[in-house]
Amino acid sequence: MTGLNLRLIIPVGRLAIDAFFPASKALEKIIGQRLKYSRALVVPLPHPSDLSRWYQNQEHRALIYYALEMIRDLNLTSTPLPL
């Protein structure tokens, strides 16, 4: 098996986000940010659970929309993945 050629990593939820960002940072400081990890960009999103009230806050929701626009604007579909 060969290595993966990832261009985008989207960690969803605190546990996954903590693998790339400092665990001590609040989600407000992380969602809407991106970082480079090897050759891939990392764009985190909060967990979409109905039990979470985080995304129900209008300012937090704006951060989610910003992160989703960031992912959309990467336009990763225009470059085919190598086989």
Side-chain angles (χ1 to χ4, degrees), residues 35-82:
L35 67 83
K36 191 103 165 142
Y37 180 79
S38 188
R39 294 182 187 176
L41 284 178
V42 179
V43 181
L45 292 173
H47 196 281
S49 169
D50 285 340
L51 299 177
S52 171
R53 298 196 183 276
W54 191 89
Y55 71 91
Q56 295 175 3
N57 177 304
Q58 193 65 27
E59 292 154 357
H60 296 168
R61 194 172 289 186
L63 293 172
I64 296 169
Y65 290 141
Y66 180 74
L68 292 172
E69 287 174 357
M70 189 184 309
I71 293 167
R72 179 197 66 203
D73 292 344
L74 290 173
N75 196 19
L76 295 175
T77 58
S78 65
T79 307
L81 291 172

